[in-house]
Amino acid sequence: MRIIIDNYSDAYTTQPMQFHRQLAEQGIESSILDMSKVSVYDAMDTLKPDVLITSGTKLTNSIVQYLREDKSKKLVLNIDNLQKDQVKQIADLLKQNGISTICFITSDYSLPQKIDKINVVKLLPSVDTYMVQDLDFDYNIEIGLIIDNLIDDIGYPNTFHVISANPELVNKTDISLNCLGLRSIYSKYNNIVIKDLKNVNQILFDALAFGNKVYYDNKEETGIGEKLKSIFKIDLQLDYNNENKTQDFSEIKKIIMEKHTDTRRTKSLLSQVTGNFKEAKND
């Protein structure tokens, strides 16, 4: 089986790179490239994939046209960062063009199991375990505060760094790094505090895997505490302002590395892909 992965990585996720590395380790012929910077027809004709994995945010007319003309190629589409009406429009487009779509993948568990008869596979974000680089220097700070938007009043009495993966905040915080680079510094802080955390994401999972203590600090109730309990299925309290917040993270780290790694997510994806091919063969 050959797979092309259109690299939809951004400052907040390395999911396509995780898929690529893990598929290769499992003996799958995988290529990763930015389809917006090459000829879709040349890439598909040269690499001859059985499956194209891309994102709804990168789905171009050229990709749709190619897949319409060559129905032997199948599509897996990440639909994160899209509004529900946009997902519906894409599903209609794929149906109208007769494109063979294995599934949509998303971290949004509120979506239905199917959209226009296309399976919706729910995949939580995962820890990127690949080659965490060591820094050439060492330091220790009490708090690493991760923000996605500028805030006026931070209000922490301890020493802290303000950190962001948001490209729009470059030169406006102490440290600006994408999620890949952030993995190298989590352990340099006694506490990682994520400001206004609404949903689980790769930054949270990476911080829990590679950091010391990790919390959220929310102004408004987002339900994230209950989401985390349902995911980890243990009694935990990651609200930084709660006097009974979790202090021992050993069990959380164990669960993260056993159940929420790039290896586990890729196996879940691969089961969908291989299952689809088996069904097609039996039809």
Side-chain angles (χ1 to χ4, degrees):
M1 183 186 297
R2 295 189 184 96
I3 296 177
I4 285 181
I5 302 175
D6 188 5
N7 192 358
Y8 53 88
S9 298
D10 59 24
Y12 302 97
T13 180
T14 58
Q15 185 184 72
M17 292 191 288
Q18 294 177 33
F19 286 159
H20 170 62
R21 291 190 298 264
Q22 292 298 325
L23 287 169
E25 286 187 8
Q26 294 179 45
I28 305 295
E29 191 173 334
S30 172
S31 301
I32 187 167
L33 62 155
D34 186 345
M35 296 290 276
S36 68
K37 295 181 179 179
V38 299
S39 164
V40 170
Y41 278 73
D42 286 348
M44 297 291 281
D45 288 344
T46 301
L47 295 171
K48 296 179 172 57
D50 301 294
V51 179
L52 171 65
I53 301 174
T54 186
S55 164
T57 60
K58 298 195 70 180
L59 187 67
T60 62
N61 290 333
S62 294
I63 291 175
V64 172
Q65 183 176 333
Y66 188 97
L67 294 176
R68 182 178 66 232
E69 294 173 2
D70 186 348
K71 299 191 186 303
S72 68
K73 308 290 193 289
K74 296 177 182 289
L75 177 68
V76 172
L77 195 71
N78 180 294
I79 56 172
D80 285 334
N81 304 314
L82 295 173
Q83 300 297 320
K84 291 184 179 179
D85 60 333
Q86 293 176 305
V87 176
K88 182 64 168 63
Q89 289 171 7
I90 289 174
D92 290 342
L93 177 68
L94 298 177
K95 184 178 180 181
Q96 290 166 9
N97 285 277
I99 292 171
S100 178
T101 306
I102 295 175
C103 63
F104 290 154
I105 55 175
T106 181
S107 59
D108 184 353
Y109 275 61
S110 70
L111 291 177
Q113 297 300 313
K114 288 181 181 289
I115 297 176
D116 273 1
K117 298 183 179 180
I118 298 174
N119 287 334
V120 178
V121 177
K122 316 291 177 61
L123 293 178
L124 285 170
S126 57
V127 177
D128 188 331
T129 61
Y130 184 71
M131 286 183 65
V132 181
Q133 292 185 338
D134 291 327
L135 297 180
D136 294 333
F137 57 94
D138 196 19
Y139 67 91
N140 177 257
I141 299 290
E142 184 61 26
I143 294 175
L145 177 66
I146 298 179
I147 65 171
D148 199 43
N149 299 287
L150 285 178
I151 50 180
D152 295 326
D153 183 20
I154 294 177
Y156 293 101
N158 310 96
T159 55
F160 60 88
H161 282 161
V162 180
I163 304 164
S164 184
N166 187 343
E168 295 180 2
L169 299 188
V170 171
N171 298 324
K172 296 178 181 179
T173 59
D174 297 314
I175 297 174
S176 294
L177 289 170
N178 61 25
C179 62
L180 200 61
L182 285 175
R183 298 176 308 158
S184 298
I185 68 171
Y186 289 132
S187 63
K188 308 303 180 185
Y189 301 90
N190 296 334
N191 300 275
I192 292 291
V193 180
I194 302 175
K195 192 70 175 175
D196 297 324
L197 180 67
K198 296 180 177 62
N199 290 297
V200 294
N201 53 37
Q202 185 179 325
I203 287 176
L204 172 67
F205 277 11
D206 282 348
L208 286 168
F210 303 120
N212 295 306
K213 299 177 182 179
V214 181
Y215 304 102
Y216 61 86
D217 182 359
N218 290 359
K219 274 188 177 181
E220 299 177 358
E221 176 57 49
T222 64
I224 189 64
E226 292 305 312
K227 288 180 185 177
L228 290 171
K229 287 179 182 177
S230 68
I231 289 169
F232 288 98
K233 295 179 173 54
I234 60 172
D235 185 24
L236 77 170
Q237 178 53 262
L238 301 188
D239 183 348
Y240 182 74
N241 297 304
N242 190 301
E243 61 181 15
N244 296 316
K245 60 180 175 286
T246 298
Q247 298 294 330
D248 183 355
F249 280 74
S250 57
E251 187 174 6
I252 297 174
K253 287 180 181 294
K254 181 181 178 182
I255 294 171
I256 279 276
M257 297 310 292
E258 286 179 352
K259 298 184 178 180
H260 300 287
T261 63
D262 39 16
T263 303
R264 291 292 294 263
R265 296 293 182 268
T266 305
K267 285 181 178 178
S268 296
L269 172 69
L270 194 55
S271 69
Q272 293 292 322
V273 173
T274 55
N276 181 275
F277 275 91
K278 287 178 182 177
E279 288 176 8
K281 187 176 181 179
N282 292 331
D283 287 344

